[in-house]
Amino acid sequence: MGFKRHATAHWEGDLKSGQGRMSTPQSGLFEGTRYSFNTRFGEEKGTNPEELLAAAHAGCYSMALGFILQNAGHVATRIDTRADVQMETTPGPHVTGVHLTVTASVPGIGADQFAAIANDAKENCVISKVLGIPVTLDARLV
């Protein structure tokens, strides 16, 4: 059985002085959140597509890691993931990769088994698979 998720974006104006709003109507998590050239390429408060991609990847990876650990007989008491999306602007804006940094507390697992499972989750997380760009990983037990 499949399903769909959606979000919306509205944009007005040119690239540098225009602005837009993004919403997630299904979950209601955010409504009309501002985004612009300066929230994307500068330091102005607001969101941007790369930040949302990073959030999606961190969430997806954490769930995938928890699932694979569970299937291996280990339940994590804590998984914290940071996803850093690398974007280059030359010759034109493009994402060049994502780096995942994860720390996890997993009772009863050895470092080698954890590393193998963490890498498996990186390779098989839905977001990692759809990106088609390099995804790197630093994973450690705490």
Side-chain angles (χ1 to χ4, degrees), residues 112-124:
D112 290 343
Q113 184 182 16
F114 175 73
I117 290 172
N119 192 63
D120 185 19
K122 175 193 75 133
E123 296 298 322
N124 292 296

Side-chain angles (χ1 to χ4, degrees), residues 31-52:
E31 176 68 33
T33 300
R34 185 177 181 283
Y35 75 111
S36 69
F37 183 87
N38 289 326
T39 66
R40 191 171 189 187
F41 299 104
E43 298 300 321
E44 191 174 306
K45 190 155 177 74
T47 194
N48 59 72
E50 293 74 28
E51 176 183 58
L52 298 174

